[in-house]
């Protein structure tokens, strides 16, 4: 069964939100690098659920919203040399980055909107 991003309170997943600061002329390159890393490596790591790469309209940020089955799975990925081969170039391309794990505390939808349960 394929896992997809599902944002809801009480879900037992580790949610990574990593905000990269990037020069606007490098934004597309960072998006491509993160997308390639996800397809070639991250999606095959144990515990991976999903990754969603967002590019800010001003060109200065790239956000990776990823879900892992647990914090332990996320930490194991960080220690994996194969994953590090992809993370190191992303860090070098960015001016800065701020990866943090989050818990979903509140979700709101307009009745009848896509994704409303």
């Amino acid at each position: 069964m394929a896992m997809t991003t599902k944002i809801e309170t009480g879900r037992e997943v580790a949610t990574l939100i990593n905000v990269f600061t990037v020069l606007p002329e490098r934004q597309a390159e960072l998006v491509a690098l993160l997308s390639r890393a996800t397809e070639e490596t991250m999606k095959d790591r144990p515990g991976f659920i999903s990754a969603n790469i967002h590019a800010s309209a001003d060109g200065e940020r790239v956000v990776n919203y990823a879900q892992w089955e647990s914090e332990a799975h996320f930490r194991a990925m960080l220690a994996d040399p194969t994953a590090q081969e992809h993370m190191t170039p992303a860090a070098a391309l960015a001016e800065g980055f701020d990866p943090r794990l989050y818990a979903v505390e509140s979700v709101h939808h307009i009745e009848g909107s896509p994704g409303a349960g």
Side-chain angles (χ1 to χ4, degrees), residues 43-57:
K43 73 177 190 175
D44 296 325
R45 304 279 66 82
F48 175 85
I49 296 173
S50 65
N52 304 272
I53 312 300
H54 305 263
S56 67

Side-chain angles (χ1 to χ4, degrees), residues 2-78:
M3 302 285 289
T4 61
T5 303
K6 189 171 184 180
I7 302 172
E8 60 187 12
T9 59
R11 189 158 183 229
E12 297 295 321
V13 298
T15 299
L16 167 71
I17 300 176
N18 192 354
V19 180
F20 295 85
T21 304
V22 64
L23 296 173
E25 61 269 19
R26 310 290 308 264
Q27 185 189 52
E29 185 180 356
L30 180 56
V31 166
L33 190 152
L34 292 171
S35 296
R36 190 171 51 255
T38 300
E39 284 300 312
E40 294 176 0
T41 300
M42 300 306 174
K43 73 177 190 175
D44 296 325
R45 304 279 66 82
F48 175 85
I49 296 173
S50 65
N52 304 272
I53 312 300
H54 305 263
S56 67
D58 65 7
E60 296 178 354
R61 302 279 188 284
V62 174
V63 177
N64 179 7
Y65 182 102
Q67 292 180 335
W68 294 84
E69 289 179 17
S70 69
E71 183 175 346
H73 284 103
F74 171 71
R75 301 274 176 221
M77 177 278 298
L78 289 178

